[in-house]
Amino acid sequence: MERPGAGGVDSNECENVSRKEEMSEEFEADTMNSLADMPFATIDIKDDCGILDVPQRNLEKNKENERISKEQIKKRKKKRKDYQPNYFLSIPITNKEITRGIKILQNAIIEQDEQLAKAMISEGSFHLTLLVMQLLNEGEVHNGIDALWELKPFVEEILQGKDLTLPFEGVDTFGNQVGFVKLVEGDHVRLLLQIAEAAKRTFQEKGILAGESRSFKPHLTFMKLSKVPWLRKKGVKKIDPEFYEKFISHRFGEEVVHRIDLCSMLKKKQSNGYYHCESSIVIGKKPIGILDLLNEALRRERMRLKSKVKQIKELLLKPETQAKIRRELLEGRSLNSSDQGSDVDFSTALT
């Protein structure tokens, strides 16, 4: 076969090149058509040569969605920035053995440094915190009460009819600033974490700002240096571990959980030292007392009234109801005008 010259073109080679170009174009067209049928067809499709295959309106829609998403994130960040918890879910400590043990611990620390007396948590306030939240007005408090009662069946499902017993042993601190009695590790911790997670989910689904950024670590606080900030000026900047070393392995006792309270951090405490309680749910097998029966009765009455109010609101929002109200108001005004006219005429007639 003769080799073509420098400026010549072989007809067979030209035909092959032309055929390859046609096949390449057909393959590219088929590929693009296949991509357009895929679930991600609304995403920008771009080949190595920078070919776009997305309608302009989809690009604009994506930009708009991105803008809305950024605004929502900004709003959530602002809400979190303003987030100051003022309510919490509390498991009260009612076992006298535990409270006596903590009082002995507190007195032992005070004997070593009397200035720490005011840093101690009062006996009636001993509790475990399940969840913190922000409730800014009465409406939000009522919403929180509803969430608490919606939590009850979830707790019952987690416990499966069994008691939740919490054993306490040993002492530790958070950064030498907060002293607490430790909860012994065990299956009860897993159940408690499940209840805390269910509580967080239930309250957040009601639109309530709840929870903390740090992970949940159940503990029983007995002292806080933040209660007496002036101690720092006197050189007391931490809780000395030597103050509680004798209690490192001390067994304080067991608390059988029977109640979860919705409490205020700021409202005046009760006469027994416990926090102001908005509502409670009873859990476990403990016999129901008079207070529990009253709470249940109040809850049912409140739910009944709430249901009635909702029905009335729905009825008032109906167009036919609003039309009827307007019609009756107009008729009432006409009747009053007529009555006033009759009175005037009657008085005139008498004179």
Side-chain angles (χ1 to χ4, degrees):
M1 181 181 292
E2 185 180 353
R3 187 173 178 272
V9 179
D10 184 80
S11 61
N12 291 331
E13 186 177 357
C14 184
E15 185 179 344
N16 289 336
V17 170
S18 178
R19 178 58 184 160
K20 285 179 181 178
E21 287 176 353
E22 288 175 5
M23 291 175 66
S24 177
E25 289 173 359
E26 289 174 3
F27 177 76
E28 184 180 47
D30 290 339
T31 303
M32 286 305 191
N33 288 335
S34 299
L35 286 172
D37 292 333
M38 296 297 284
F40 50 80
T42 54
I43 301 174
D44 290 359
I45 302 170
K46 198 174 195 180
D47 65 11
D48 292 337
C49 296
I51 299 172
L52 295 177
D53 192 33
V54 181
Q56 185 64 28
R57 64 177 179 274
N58 284 345
L59 289 172
E60 291 174 356
K61 186 176 180 181
N62 288 340
K63 288 179 181 178
E64 178 65 14
N65 289 340
E66 186 179 348
R67 184 187 65 78
I68 293 170
S69 178
K70 285 180 179 178
E71 286 181 359
Q72 289 174 341
I73 291 170
K74 190 176 180 181
K75 285 179 181 178
R76 281 198 295 269
K77 284 182 178 179
K78 186 179 185 302
K79 280 186 177 181
R80 278 290 165 187
K81 188 179 179 181
D82 299 335
Y83 177 50
Q84 293 290 335
N86 59 341
Y87 276 82
F88 65 103
L89 290 186
S90 165
I91 294 177
I93 302 301
T94 58
N95 185 344
K96 296 297 182 183
E97 180 188 359
I98 297 175
T99 56
R100 277 196 301 268
I102 294 176
K103 286 300 296 180
I104 292 170
L105 165 64
Q106 290 176 327
N107 290 333
I109 293 173
I110 293 169
E111 283 177 6
Q112 297 172 78
D113 191 339
E114 292 182 356
Q115 297 178 103
L116 294 174
K118 291 188 180 298
M120 299 300 168
I121 305 298
S122 60
E123 182 178 345
S125 299
F126 295 148
H127 70 280
L128 253 69
T129 299
L130 268 181
L131 181 72
V132 296
M133 70 201 70
Q134 179 177 273
L135 304 173
L136 297 177
N137 52 53
E138 285 303 309
E140 291 187 4
V141 171
H142 291 156
N143 198 26
I145 293 171
D146 290 343
L148 175 63
W149 281 95
E150 288 179 17
L151 174 64
K152 184 172 182 176
F154 293 114
V155 176
E156 291 172 345
E157 184 180 351
I158 291 168
L159 296 180
Q160 295 290 308
K162 298 177 182 178
D163 280 331
L164 178 58
T165 303
L166 306 177
F168 292 94
E169 182 177 333
V171 177
D172 202 351
T173 68
F174 290 125
N176 294 318
Q177 299 297 305
V178 177
F180 62 90
V181 174
K182 296 194 294 184
L183 182 62
V184 179
E185 292 295 327
D187 193 53
H188 52 274
V189 176
R190 178 183 62 83
L191 295 173
L192 193 61
L193 291 174
Q194 287 182 14
I195 292 172
E197 187 58 37
K200 184 177 179 180
R201 184 177 64 251
T202 303
F203 276 75
Q204 287 183 346
E205 286 176 355
K206 298 283 285 184
I208 295 170
L209 283 176
E212 295 179 280
S213 56
R214 61 176 181 241
S215 58
F216 174 65
K217 183 178 180 180
H219 59 280
L220 174 48
T221 302
F222 67 85
M223 70 176 296
K224 289 182 180 180
L225 289 185
S226 60
K227 284 171 61 69
V228 277
W230 50 266
L231 282 178
R232 294 187 69 84
K233 295 179 180 178
K234 295 193 173 185
V236 181
K237 298 180 180 180
K238 66 177 184 176
I239 302 169
D240 191 333
E242 291 184 2
F243 290 170
Y244 56 82
E245 62 181 354
K246 293 180 180 179
F247 295 84
I248 291 295
S249 301
H250 180 77
R251 188 168 182 82
F252 288 86
E254 297 180 343
E255 177 72 29
V256 179
V257 180
H258 67 276
R259 201 176 82 222
I260 298 175
D261 302 323
L262 175 61
C263 296
S264 170
M265 298 180 187
L266 305 177
K267 291 183 179 180
K268 186 179 179 180
K269 289 185 177 181
Q270 300 178 41
S271 57
N272 62 1
Y274 191 60
Y275 298 88
H276 173 86
C277 181
E278 299 288 352
S279 186
S280 307
I281 56 173
V282 179
I283 61 175
K285 298 178 180 178
K286 184 171 181 177
I288 296 176
I290 293 176
L291 182 60
D292 299 324
L293 289 171
L294 286 172
N295 276 332
E296 176 66 13
L298 287 170
R299 183 191 74 86
R300 289 182 178 179
E301 180 65 18
R302 190 170 163 277
M303 293 301 288
R304 188 183 68 80
L305 290 172
K306 187 176 178 182
S307 177
K308 287 286 186 186
V309 170
K310 186 179 178 182
Q311 290 175 8
I312 292 169
K313 283 183 178 179
E314 289 174 351
L315 183 64
L316 290 173
L317 288 173
K318 289 182 178 180
E320 56 269 29
T321 305
Q322 294 180 1
K324 186 177 179 181
I325 291 171
R326 281 195 295 268
R327 187 169 60 251
E328 290 182 356
L329 285 172
L330 288 171
E331 289 176 356
R333 287 175 184 173
S334 300
L335 185 61
N336 287 336
S337 299
S338 175
D339 288 343
Q340 288 175 3
S342 298
D343 290 342
V344 171
D345 291 339
F346 182 71
S347 300
T348 305
L350 284 174
T351 56

